[in-house]
Amino acid sequence: MKRFVRPAAASAQTAKQGEMNNMTLVWIYTILINGYGFFLMKADKQKAVRGKWRLSERRIWLVAAAFGSAGVWFGMLRFRHKTKHLSFRLGIPFLLGVQAVLTGFYMMN
């Protein structure tokens, strides 16, 4: 029984392709979670204006903590929503900064 042995260059190339796929997944996740955070802020603002049942702040914080803080922050600014809450006004940009640092460390390795 013959065994196929890959050349070293082919193995390195395969590993690099796997890395590329992982980075693609990270980018797709980042875009989706931030888009969700942005539209979550929009939906909550619309419900607030109409006097309807609102989304919980816990849900907004969970999305922000799951690396969706950029979307939540841009939603806050765009829709002028939750901007009077000190926890959101200071907490979301702080969380975004922490996530940016963590992402930078991940990208370096």
Side-chain angles (χ1 to χ4, degrees):
M1 184 164 164
K2 284 188 175 182
R3 208 172 238 221
F4 178 73
V5 178
R6 291 184 184 199
S11 294
Q13 185 178 13
T14 304
K16 195 169 191 167
Q17 286 174 346
E19 235 176 76
M20 291 287 272
N21 289 336
N22 289 341
M23 284 306 296
T24 302
L25 292 175
V26 167
W27 282 110
I28 289 170
Y29 173 79
T30 302
I31 290 167
L32 290 176
I33 194 72
N34 281 291
Y36 180 64
F38 182 82
F39 287 110
L40 202 63
M41 294 302 280
K42 178 181 180 182
D44 195 45
K45 176 65 174 190
Q46 288 174 341
K47 287 181 179 193
V49 168
R50 294 182 183 132
K52 291 188 175 182
W53 189 261
R54 308 268 305 276
L55 300 170
S56 70
E57 288 185 358
R58 181 179 178 192
R59 177 184 281 188
I60 296 169
W61 276 108
L62 285 173
V63 170
F67 282 80
S69 58
V72 170
W73 190 44
F74 288 130
M76 281 176 57
L77 298 176
R78 170 67 176 90
F79 305 113
R80 294 183 186 169
H81 189 52
K82 302 282 186 193
T83 54
K84 292 183 180 180
H85 295 261
L86 189 62
S87 63
F88 278 88
R89 199 171 58 215
L90 298 177
I92 297 296
F94 176 76
L95 188 58
L96 178 60
V98 169
Q99 290 173 353
V101 169
L102 291 174
T103 302
F105 282 134
Y106 177 77
M107 298 293 270
M108 284 194 288
N109 292 330

